[in-house]
Amino acid sequence: MAIEVVDSHHHLWSLSPSNPTKYTWLKPVSEGGASGHFAGNIELLKQNYLLNDYLRDTTNPSCRLIKSVHVQAEADDPIEEVKFLEQVSNGNSGGFPHGIVAHANLTSPELPKLLETYTRNYPRVKGVRQLLNWSTKDSRLSMTDRGDYLTDKTWLEGFQLLTSYSLSFDFHVYPTQMIDASKVARQYPNAILILDHCGLPGDDRNDFNSWKEGMKHMAEQSNVICKLSGLVMFNHAWSKELFAPYILECLRLFTPKRCMFGSNFPVDRLHITYEELVNVYRDIAENDAGLSKDELELIFKHNAIKTYRL
């Protein structure tokens, strides 16, 4: 039976020259674009991924997409990206995407103006994300310019300002950073916090126990919600057997009340179809974890609606 889905994590981009929203990382290498990505062949990402592409991917017998949340895709200008997404939302009868997680560098002197603009002019902006994942083992896995943001005084002041606007924050961090991230969560118990991609278990793929330990620190903070997403980025030759230990541990630590499904399309699309993704996550949750119909609906629908105020 098809399950209703609210996708808590996907991306869209138009690389048309006429689109004011630019993405340097998606340009050809000769023009300063990225030469690689741990998710797979980056050249396959350097093409338009528009709403119609996304809706085509999500149309299948196993699920019915009812709402979605777009998460910032490292556009050069975050305001232009939000404008583009608002136009997309206003231009389709389904209202996709219904929520936007925009970019903000919490150390930027422009942060107050940016947050004011988001909340005043763009009602679909429900939260922000700043990529913070920093690897001391492999620089190719780092997606930020430094590894100390979570303890930086200016960043923490920016985080405090963010919470005053009632915007959520998506943590995009590795397990080695979770002690610091959990301290931030504990310091701001009323903040709405989301842990992206099952806590990015890719910094050291062979150290499951270290990942579990980091996740334990995050799960102890009751204001942190875990996205069941992004596992394909680190497991290109995916299988249920590979995913199950991570999904089951996330469900054990956070419980179904604090987990939600996200596709991470088109990034995870490099190696899996939308139907395969929904089915393997559902299979693990339903048959391995033994979740009830109501608990499945929390993960695939209700938690995202509540977390992102859709």
Side-chain angles (χ1 to χ4, degrees):
M1 184 176 175
I3 190 169
E4 289 189 330
V5 168
V6 176
D7 189 345
S8 71
H9 197 111
H10 74 91
H11 311 290
L12 303 171
W13 47 69
S14 169
L15 305 185
S16 167
S18 62
N19 182 12
T21 311
K22 306 301 180 186
Y23 306 85
T24 294
W25 72 284
L26 291 172
K27 289 181 178 180
V29 175
S30 61
E31 297 175 24
S35 60
H37 195 290
F38 52 72
N41 184 354
I42 194 170
E43 297 306 317
L44 297 178
L45 294 176
K46 294 183 178 183
Q47 54 190 300
N48 288 342
Y49 191 71
L50 307 176
L51 180 66
N52 285 342
D53 301 312
Y54 172 67
L55 294 179
R56 190 181 308 115
D57 284 338
T58 62
T59 302
N60 63 77
S62 298
C63 69
R64 186 170 75 86
L65 184 73
I66 59 173
K67 290 181 185 288
S68 77
V69 177
H70 183 284
V71 178
Q72 64 89 19
E74 294 298 281
D76 298 354
D77 184 332
I79 292 291
E80 288 294 340
E81 183 178 39
V82 169
K83 286 180 182 177
F84 163 67
L85 295 167
E86 289 275 356
Q87 289 173 355
V88 171
S89 298
N90 292 329
N92 73 94
S93 59
F96 295 94
H98 302 79
I100 299 170
V101 177
H103 175 266
N105 183 330
L106 301 191
T107 64
S108 170
E110 298 297 315
L111 182 66
K113 180 181 176 182
L114 183 64
L115 297 180
E116 183 67 29
T117 300
Y118 285 156
T119 52
R120 185 180 67 243
N121 299 338
Y122 303 108
R124 288 184 182 87
V125 173
K126 307 298 183 179
V128 304
R129 180 174 80 159
Q130 178 182 359
L131 296 178
L132 299 174
N133 54 309
W134 175 266
S135 175
T136 57
K137 298 170 183 173
D138 187 344
S139 61
R140 293 172 298 179
L141 296 177
S142 295
M143 300 181 76
T144 184
D145 59 332
R146 43 188 271 217
D148 65 342
Y149 279 116
L150 290 164
T151 57
D152 178 78
K153 180 175 180 290
T154 303
W155 191 90
L156 291 169
E157 289 171 352
F159 190 91
Q160 183 173 16
L161 179 65
L162 172 71
T163 62
S164 71
Y165 281 90
S166 300
L167 294 170
S168 64
F169 185 79
D170 271 51
F171 277 116
H172 197 271
V173 294
Y174 287 126
T176 52
Q177 300 172 280
M178 288 182 189
I179 289 178
D180 289 335
S182 67
K183 288 178 181 177
V184 175
R186 187 161 56 250
Q187 188 174 349
Y188 297 95
N190 295 321
I192 304 169
L193 304 174
I194 299 99
L195 180 62
D196 283 358
H197 302 332
C198 298
L200 296 176
D203 192 23
D204 188 343
R205 302 178 205 192
N206 299 315
D207 197 347
F208 186 73
N209 288 331
S210 292
W211 171 79
K212 284 203 301 185
E213 185 63 25
M215 293 294 280
K216 177 173 170 286
H217 288 291
M218 296 302 285
E220 286 170 351
Q221 315 312 315
S222 61
N223 55 336
V224 177
I225 294 90
C226 178
K227 277 186 186 174
L228 304 181
S229 63
L231 289 177
V232 181
M233 286 195 295
F234 304 107
N235 298 280
H236 300 172
W238 64 273
S239 67
K240 177 185 174 181
E241 291 69 31
L242 276 173
F243 287 171
Y246 296 103
I247 298 293
L248 292 173
E249 189 66 12
C250 289
L251 291 172
R252 186 185 73 82
L253 288 169
F254 288 86
T255 80
K257 293 181 179 179
R258 291 166 53 209
C259 289
M260 58 185 177
F261 168 78
S263 71
N264 196 35
F265 264 44
V267 179
D268 281 16
R269 180 178 180 261
L270 293 174
H271 308 285
I272 197 169
T273 68
Y274 205 93
E275 184 174 24
E276 288 171 333
L277 187 66
V278 169
N279 283 343
V280 71
Y281 280 27
R282 179 179 181 177
D283 185 9
I284 295 167
E286 194 169 21
N287 297 317
D288 294 46
L291 300 192
S292 67
K293 180 176 180 290
D294 288 346
E295 289 172 323
L296 283 176
E297 289 184 350
L298 287 176
I299 291 168
F300 281 96
K301 180 169 63 173
H302 296 305
N303 288 346
I305 292 173
K306 178 182 177 182
T307 300
Y308 285 121
R309 292 86 68 211
L310 303 179

